[in-house]
Amino acid sequence: MNVSVIEQVMQRKVNPPVPMGSYDPSDVVFLLKDLSNVNLEKETEEREHAIQSGVHYSEMLPVEYHPTDEYIALFHETLEHSAAKVALAAATVAEMILRKQGPPPVLVSLARAGTPIGILIKRYIKMKTNRDLPHYSISIIRGKGIDENAILYILQQHGADARLQFIDGWTGKGAIRHVLMDACRMLEERYGIRLDDDLAVLADPGQCSATYGTREDYLIPSACLNSTVSGLMSRTVLRDDLIGPEDFHGAKWYKEWSESDLSRYFVDRISSCFAEVSDLAQRQAEDALLHPPAVTWQGMKDIRSIQEAFGIDDVNMVKPGIGETTRVLLRRVPWKILIDSPDNPNLKHIMLLAKDRNVPVEVFPGLTYSCCGIIQSVKGGGE
């Protein structure tokens, strides 16, 4: 690739970020266009029909779920029960990142589930090394790709050879990992920009990543809620009439929900456990270096068996893992929920949401994940 091509793209105009979100600005910079004043929300059934009729999900937003008092109580109970466990997973990922060769990385979390995880990793690394790594949150959209302007902005700030570490909350089928891999390949082919497509996650039940805290499909408390645990940010939006050639992908900042915001509380609570888990995290990271974990994409094998069992043609109708099942219950039209065992302690909020929405739950023997959500076809049945 001609050097002038890289120089040219590095000089391309990108609109600078505006302050967004409820996190401390020192924790993260959102590279997103503020669409707070645009009416983008659609009711669940209307949005589901639009998606299944061919409208891309990134062109509209779901109406955010307002949790009941019982559900919020369950979030707090889960957080207290699992804070040390989540801290260990975040610390282990951070230790693995620190052991990679090359310069200190720029942390790039994928909005929005990756954002609190990126903050935790940034905070752990600062505690451990006293290095305050830059951390950005950017958009990546299945079927559309990564926000190229956001990547270019980061490289313009930190150099064309900056080491970017991508971060997300968890893996399901591995769809976003595939989008990231394709995006990195495209950036190299188009501009000669080489990025590491490694995706660091807290939980990797789909076995799609080599940088993870655990492969157990357990409840990460931030998966329970939407914007009120993600800096009051919406999902990301990409629509030609709203996003210009110099813009980042868009999102809304729900300032009106500030009284319900638990975003800082969540990362503060997890961070408070870092000192006690640091030694174990270091040992786990060193073991992973000595015995590199295999990326088997085991999760997709599960999905195929579920598709066969229920006659589902579209793989996108099957959402595996606790995080993805929660999303199905919060913002899609669920057909049914599959679980590995009715005694699984990680499924309390899933069972509560399913009961609230009158969604049937059934045991599916041999499930790799704790649970799996299946989206209702607007044509009827589970196809």
Side-chain angles (χ1 to χ4, degrees):
M1 177 65 66
N2 193 314
V3 174
S4 64
V5 175
I6 297 179
E7 291 175 347
Q8 187 176 359
V9 74
M10 289 291 286
Q11 293 169 7
R12 198 165 89 189
K13 187 175 186 311
V14 177
N15 289 330
V18 297
M20 288 185 75
S22 65
Y23 290 116
D24 189 302
S26 66
D27 275 328
V28 62
V29 174
F30 286 99
L31 300 186
L32 295 166
K33 181 179 181 179
D34 191 351
L35 301 177
S36 298
N37 296 322
V38 183
N39 184 14
L40 293 164
E41 289 80 5
K42 302 284 186 186
E43 291 294 338
T44 303
E45 287 74 15
E46 180 186 3
R47 182 171 178 269
E48 190 64 57
H49 193 279
I51 290 172
Q52 293 188 36
S53 299
V55 178
H56 197 275
Y57 72 86
S58 67
E59 296 183 20
M60 55 199 160
L61 291 172
V63 176
E64 295 259 324
Y65 171 73
H66 287 269
T68 62
D69 290 344
E70 182 183 9
Y71 192 78
I72 289 293
L74 184 58
F75 166 82
H76 285 286
E77 176 189 329
T78 302
L79 180 56
E80 289 310 305
H81 177 72
S82 63
K85 185 174 184 177
V86 175
L88 175 60
T92 299
V93 173
E95 291 281 0
M96 293 172 77
I97 291 170
L98 285 172
R99 281 161 177 72
K100 286 188 177 184
Q101 292 184 343
V106 176
L107 304 177
V108 182
S109 58
L110 305 181
R112 67 185 165 179
T115 310
I117 311 311
I119 290 172
L120 291 173
I121 290 169
K122 172 186 169 73
R123 287 186 176 189
Y124 180 87
I125 290 174
K126 186 173 183 182
M127 180 199 81
K128 196 70 185 288
T129 69
N130 205 31
R131 278 185 288 195
D132 193 9
L133 299 183
H135 173 218
Y136 299 93
S137 184
I138 73 171
S139 169
I140 188 169
I141 297 172
R142 179 173 50 81
K144 298 282 189 177
I146 204 163
D147 186 344
E148 188 176 292
N149 279 347
I151 294 292
L152 292 180
Y153 177 84
I154 294 169
L155 297 179
Q156 287 169 2
Q157 301 303 307
H158 301 282
D161 57 351
R163 173 186 158 206
L164 273 52
Q165 174 63 64
F166 295 102
I167 298 167
D168 207 355
W170 56 83
T171 63
K173 296 187 293 285
I176 290 299
R177 176 81 204 286
H178 278 300
V179 175
L180 179 61
M181 292 165 69
D182 290 343
C184 290
R185 185 164 52 247
M186 181 275 293
L187 286 167
E188 182 169 9
E189 290 173 357
R190 187 177 295 176
Y191 307 123
I193 294 169
R194 293 186 180 182
L195 300 177
D196 184 355
D197 64 18
D198 176 59
L199 182 61
V201 292
L202 280 198
D204 179 40
Q207 300 187 22
C208 317
S209 172
T211 307
Y212 59 85
T214 179
R215 278 184 165 160
E216 178 189 352
D217 186 22
Y218 73 103
L219 174 58
I220 300 168
S222 57
C224 287
L225 302 174
N226 285 323
S227 64
T228 50
V229 80
S230 305
L232 295 181
M233 300 295 290
S234 75
R235 296 198 66 183
T236 58
V237 174
L238 184 57
R239 224 170 67 188
D240 290 343
D241 61 325
L242 298 173
I243 307 301
E246 297 175 357
D247 290 332
F248 302 125
H249 292 185
K252 296 182 77 165
W253 177 6
Y254 294 120
K255 298 178 187 176
E256 63 271 26
W257 296 341
S258 59
E259 290 187 4
S260 305
D261 189 20
L262 293 163
S263 304
R264 294 195 189 194
Y265 176 79
F266 172 75
V267 291
D268 287 347
R269 180 68 185 90
I270 303 301
S271 300
S272 71
C273 299
F274 279 157
E276 67 188 76
V277 302
S278 181
D279 289 346
L280 180 54
Q282 188 172 322
R283 291 197 298 273
Q284 290 186 170
E286 288 169 352
D287 185 63
L289 267 182
L290 291 171
H291 309 97
V295 176
T296 66
W297 304 91
Q298 174 62 40
M300 277 307 300
K301 298 170 187 174
D302 261 23
I303 305 310
R304 293 189 188 101
S305 67
I306 291 168
Q307 284 185 266
E308 186 176 337
F310 294 101
I312 302 168
D313 294 329
D314 185 356
V315 70
N316 292 319
M317 304 292 272
V318 184
K319 303 292 185 181
I322 287 178
E324 297 305 306
T325 303
T326 303
R327 289 174 169 180
V328 168
L329 286 162
L330 289 178
R331 59 187 187 226
R332 301 297 295 269
V333 177
W335 178 48
K336 64 174 63 184
I337 304 299
L338 308 180
I339 62 174
D340 64 342
S341 165
D343 300 322
N344 187 332
N346 289 304
L347 298 178
K348 287 181 182 178
H349 81 293
I350 295 290
M351 304 301 279
L352 181 60
L353 285 172
K355 181 181 177 183
D356 285 349
R357 297 201 60 186
N358 198 29
V359 179
V361 176
E362 62 182 72
V363 176
F364 190 82
L367 199 62
T368 299
Y369 303 89
S370 289
C371 58
C372 182
I374 304 180
I375 296 168
Q376 170 75 53
S377 170
V378 294
K379 301 171 185 175
E383 298 179 355

